[in-house]
Amino acid sequence: MGFLAFEPLALSALALLAIPLTRRAPERLQRIVLPIATAVVLLVAWHAFAVATRYELRMPGEAPRTVDVFPTPIQVLPAFVELLGDGRLVRYAIASLYRVLTGFALAAALGIPLGLAAGWFTRVSFAADPFIQALRPISPLAWIPISILAFGVEDGAAIFIIFLGAFFPIVTGTMTAVRSIPVAYVRAARNFGLDGLTLFRVVVFPAALPQIVTSLRIALGVGWLVVVAAEMNAINSGLGFLIVDARNMGMRYDLVVAGMLCIGLIGVLLDWMIRRLERLDEVRWGFSKV
Amino acid sequence: MPQPAKVVVEHVTKTFRRNDEELIVLDDLSLVVEPSEFVCVLGPSGCGKSTLLNMIGGFEVPSRGSLTIDGHPVRGPDPRRVFVFQEYGIFPWATVVDNIGLGLLRRPTAERERIVAHYVDLVGLKGFERSFPSELSGGMKQRVALARALAVAPDLVLMDEPLGALDSLTRLQMRAELLRIWKAERMTVMFVTHDVDESVQLADRVVVLSPRPSRIVDVVEVALPHPRDIGSPEYNRVKNRLYERLGVRHEI
């Protein structure tokens, strides 16, 4: 028993050893070894914490038993298998993704044009900017009661919350992007007689595009962040629902943690997908040092 | 029959307000530029050379005085007089051909392609048609800017230290290129610089401005045929006179 308690410590010591050992290793190797080492340290810390918080329950007339407060990493594994096995994981992930992507698409469809207009036309900015700035600091979660009132308990409420979370980063990001277009580009365009929509299509939009893509990336992150909260209320599907449901229906903290890990994993995947936009010729120039 | 003047600057004064203080940048400037002339505007940094060019380009308005091109007052930017910017001003998101074709968007595609191809050739960018500016050297980017300006067949090209960001060898090459193109196209050029050698190598006439508030201190004719022998006594005479007018001694 004593040895088993010591084992995690030995593991993390080994992982920490990777830091000095790979100092002179090729970068490619370091890229693989170092995150694994971090993962081991984190898992060990998690495990140690779960073990440390266990307590003995002694009820009169019963044999004392150990009560787990937090699940250990090893206890979460079967929870994953369970969620995959009964199809809940895939079903809930799709439900959440559908809400996030719909809300995000709506936010982009409205936010980009409004941001372009408010960034370019002073009068639009005068009219709209104070309200954008005043509504922006209200957490999308504060809108939950109102959105349920407006859209009921269906997808609509959750999509609206995500829309709000994604909309403001896109509007403000696009606005800033347009305002920071170097004056030389605009002057050149005007010099060649470009105006109206042509000026927008040929100069304003392409010049702002890299920063718009950055704001889309932030917005998608926020959307994914709020979907969980949006699904914790008045909806019975999605990864957010999974988490509240697992707790409410029998304190299944192993399922809670499994759900959390899935949210993280899908978040990374979404970010990786939207980052691919940054490699397009139309966007890449904005991220490279000339 | 005498040709009418291309650019007429009459008693132009430009002031800016800064912290409730009136800052005179250009003080009562008068200048006439003839068609097909190559005029360099020479002066110390911050003297308002660019401001003068910006006003002729229609990007800024004189505070007093009048400014006419071909007898018409300047009312704003116009594709007939094209600006070549200091930091290139070419679009990093567009290819070489798309950059050069910027002023030709209203022309039919076939015509646009033909004109662009001609100027790609003229500035020596063949083989780089599909390249992006980030893939080009400083000199090549400047060629793109030049080709873009020339492609709209302007009769006046305004250049604001266009070679300032280049290394000295490329700058020499680009001066020769510029003269070759100017001889071929015969447009009027107003070229702002603070480089005395550059102005003597390029210009028919050099307009020397004083530090702020800027006035014209001298207009020096450079009566030397191209290509100019930079070792000739006449070249050095003009150069020395310019240095003297700028208030700097030539010998260091």
Side-chain angles (χ1 to χ4, degrees), chain A residues 181 183-195 198 201-204 206-207 281-282 284-285 288 290, chain B residues 54 59-60 77-79 81-83 85 87 89-93 102-103 105-106 132 134-135 141 148-149 152:
Chain A
I181 296 174
V183 89
Y185 296 161
V186 180
R187 279 194 170 182
R190 287 209 191 286
N191 197 167
F192 289 104
L194 268 59
D195 53 12
T198 320
R201 187 173 56 80
V202 179
V203 182
V204 179
D281 274 341
E282 289 79 4
R284 207 180 39 176
W285 64 269
S288 61
V290 182
Chain B
N54 277 329
F59 293 110
E60 283 177 45
D78 189 316
R81 33 184 189 269
V82 173
F83 220 100
F85 292 91
E87 308 88 7
I90 58 171
F91 301 154
W93 57 84
L102 178 68
L105 291 172
R106 293 209 186 95
F132 285 89
S134 59
E135 298 156 358
K141 279 188 242 186
R148 182 178 75 175
V152 294

Side-chain angles (χ1 to χ4, degrees), chain A residues 43-96:
Chain A
L43 284 170
V44 165
W46 171 6
H47 183 87
F49 178 74
V51 170
T53 50
R54 279 176 187 163
Y55 62 92
E56 293 257 290
L57 187 67
R58 290 167 200 277
M59 298 287 270
E62 276 178 42
R65 60 188 171 95
T66 323
V67 177
D68 291 344
V69 182
F70 297 98
T72 62
I74 296 148
Q75 288 167 339
V76 170
L77 273 174
F80 262 114
V81 176
E82 182 186 331
L83 286 173
L84 273 171
D86 61 15
R88 263 194 292 174
L89 192 60
V90 175
R91 214 167 57 240
Y92 286 172
I94 288 173
S96 294

Side-chain angles (χ1 to χ4, degrees), chain A residues 228-250:
Chain A
V228 177
E231 287 168 347
M232 284 184 171
N233 294 276
I235 266 184
N236 53 11
S237 65
L239 295 170
F241 168 73
L242 169 68
I243 287 171
V244 240
D245 188 51
R247 190 199 54 181
N248 292 348
M249 304 286 158

Side-chain angles (χ1 to χ4, degrees), chain A residues 249-273:
Chain A
M249 304 286 158
M251 301 292 186
R252 290 289 306 276
Y253 283 101
D254 54 338
L255 292 181
V256 169
V257 175
M260 287 169 68
L261 290 174
C262 283
I263 289 164
L265 231 61
I266 295 171
V268 169
L269 212 70
L270 280 176
D271 195 56
W272 177 80
M273 282 185 339

